[in-house]
Amino acid sequence: MASHRRPKQPSRARVTVLTATAAAAVALTSQTAQAAPSAKPTKDEVKSKVDKLYQDAEKATEKYNGAKEKQGKLEKEIGTLQDKVARGQDEVNELRAGLGSLASAQYRSGGIDPSLQLFLSADPDSYLDKASTLEQLSGKQVEALRTIQEKQRSLAQQRQEAGDKLKDLADTRSELGKKKGEVQGKLAQAQKLLNSLTAAEKAALEEEEKRASRASERTALKAQEEPAPKKSAGTEAKSGGSAAAAKPVSGRATSAYAAGQSKIGSPYVYGASGPSSFDCSGFTSWSFAQANQTIPRTSQAQAQIGTRINSQSDLQVGDLVFFYSDLHHVGFYAGNGQILHSPRTGAVVRYESINNMPYMFGVRV
């Protein structure tokens, strides 16, 4: 006979424990999923991100260089104005002392001219309009008063100009600090990414850079040893800048390029302009300085000098070459599609393919 006994129901306490255990398991699974680390970026992904950060840092570096150059100019201009004001005030003081001597002589001879007395005790700039019309002033006194008035007006203008430049200098220093912070921030981000690589990955990246640099150096040096192919007149006429192509590179540009070659292996440092470290425009401006030629400090300003050369086929060794739409990078053309430049933080002055960056145009100095 079959048993019809009802199955035993779990106790309320047992149900509560099971439910709590299940809930805890679900929560633990959820937390584990949330805490699971994201996939570590590959060496190539890190390199791509670091290259972008270095490019952003270089943009900020050229703006930093521009602000630094402006600061230097303003400091010189302010110094010149302050010297002028000081000399002008000395001249005014001497003229006033002369009038004081004249007043003393008049007093000893029987009294001081009332108009001169009024001048010596009041602002001559506001007084002259009245005093110059008085008959009792001699021609010599009027001339002296006019000279003082003109000098005081000039002093007032110079003081105002110096004040304006001081305000501009304060703004420039503020901008300089911001750009410096921006550069340092980008470099810190890049370094953090590089630190995430293993020792083997870092070594692999360094070897890739060295290998590419050696290959570019061999290509550039080979091009300089071989005679450049001659262009026909028709070819030059078709190129985008025949006048620029017909003009040879100057002796100073050749000397500047040679000076740049002597610095191969020097490290890139933002804001540096030699002699042991450089940023991109610091490298080119230092190189030209060795050839006794001064060029602007920033890449954007350097792009405005000399003769522009649009076509890469018209470039000659020693020409300046500019990259990116905002012209934030500059180097020397080294021949055979290679450039010599100071690339970025973590790199050194070296040869590199001109096609590694978006070429804009060249300039023949």
Side-chain angles (χ1 to χ4, degrees), residues 30-336:
S30 175
Q31 290 175 0
T32 302
Q34 291 177 0
S38 57
K40 181 184 175 184
T42 65
K43 172 175 68 69
D44 290 340
E45 288 172 339
V46 168
K47 183 179 185 305
S48 178
K49 291 178 181 178
V50 167
D51 287 346
K52 177 65 168 60
L53 285 167
Y54 282 151
Q55 186 186 140
D56 291 343
E58 191 176 34
K59 288 181 185 179
T61 295
E62 285 307 291
K63 291 178 181 177
Y64 167 85
N65 289 336
K68 193 173 181 180
E69 187 176 37
K70 183 178 179 181
Q71 175 184 258
K73 287 180 179 178
L74 283 170
E75 287 173 343
K76 287 181 180 178
E77 290 171 359
I78 289 168
T80 299
L81 280 170
Q82 289 175 336
D83 287 344
K84 284 183 179 178
V85 168
R87 288 195 300 270
Q89 188 61 58
D90 287 342
E91 291 174 1
V92 168
N93 292 341
E94 288 179 9
L95 289 168
R96 289 177 65 85
L99 281 177
S101 299
L102 177 60
S104 298
Q106 288 181 346
Y107 180 78
R108 287 193 298 270
S109 63
I112 185 171
D113 189 314
S115 60
L116 188 58
Q117 185 179 29
L118 179 59
F119 165 74
L120 291 172
S121 62
D123 178 12
D125 197 39
S126 60
Y127 169 64
L128 182 61
D129 292 335
K130 298 176 183 178
S132 62
T133 60
L134 299 179
E135 294 180 357
Q136 60 264 44
L137 279 176
S138 70
K140 188 175 182 180
Q141 289 170 338
V142 170
E143 183 180 352
L145 287 170
R146 285 193 181 282
T147 300
I148 292 176
Q149 184 190 42
E150 288 171 2
K151 287 187 175 296
Q152 287 190 323
R153 283 175 178 167
S154 177
L155 281 174
Q157 290 174 353
Q158 289 170 355
R159 287 191 177 104
Q160 179 64 47
E161 187 178 352
D164 292 342
K165 288 186 181 296
L166 282 168
K167 183 178 181 302
D168 196 6
L169 178 60
D171 293 341
T172 300
R173 283 176 173 162
S174 176
E175 180 187 0
L176 192 62
K178 289 178 183 177
K179 293 305 174 189
K180 185 175 182 179
E182 186 178 342
V183 173
Q184 291 173 331
K186 298 291 184 184
L187 296 181
Q189 290 179 57
Q191 190 59 54
K192 186 177 179 180
L193 281 170
L194 289 172
N195 289 342
S196 71
L197 296 175
T198 65
E201 288 172 328
K202 290 179 182 177
L205 275 182
E206 290 176 3
E207 183 55 34
E208 285 175 14
E209 287 222 355
K210 289 178 182 177
R211 191 162 50 245
S213 181
R214 287 194 296 266
S216 292
E217 183 173 0
R218 286 193 298 269
T219 303
L221 293 177
K222 183 179 179 181
Q224 292 168 41
E225 291 169 0
E226 297 174 352
K230 294 182 179 180
K231 292 183 180 180
S232 65
T235 303
E236 287 189 353
K238 291 178 182 178
S239 65
S242 57
K247 177 186 174 184
V249 174
S250 69
R252 285 186 176 178
T254 300
S255 297
Y257 176 73
Q261 286 180 301
S262 73
K263 290 301 176 179
I264 290 174
S266 299
Y268 178 103
V269 174
Y270 83 89
S273 55
S276 56
S277 59
F278 307 87
D279 59 26
C280 71
S281 57
F283 172 62
T284 49
S285 60
W286 177 88
S287 297
F288 269 97
Q290 308 319 298
N292 297 317
Q293 182 159 349
T294 300
I295 65 172
R297 174 61 177 84
T298 66
S299 59
Q300 291 90 346
Q302 290 176 15
Q304 305 304 314
I305 63 175
T307 303
R308 180 174 295 198
I309 303 166
N310 294 316
S311 174
Q312 286 189 30
S313 63
D314 289 333
L315 291 171
Q316 296 182 30
V317 175
D319 287 336
L320 293 175
V321 281
F322 298 87
F323 301 88
Y324 301 100
S325 58
D326 61 355
L327 308 177
H328 73 259
H329 191 75
V330 60
F332 285 106
Y333 186 64
N336 202 22

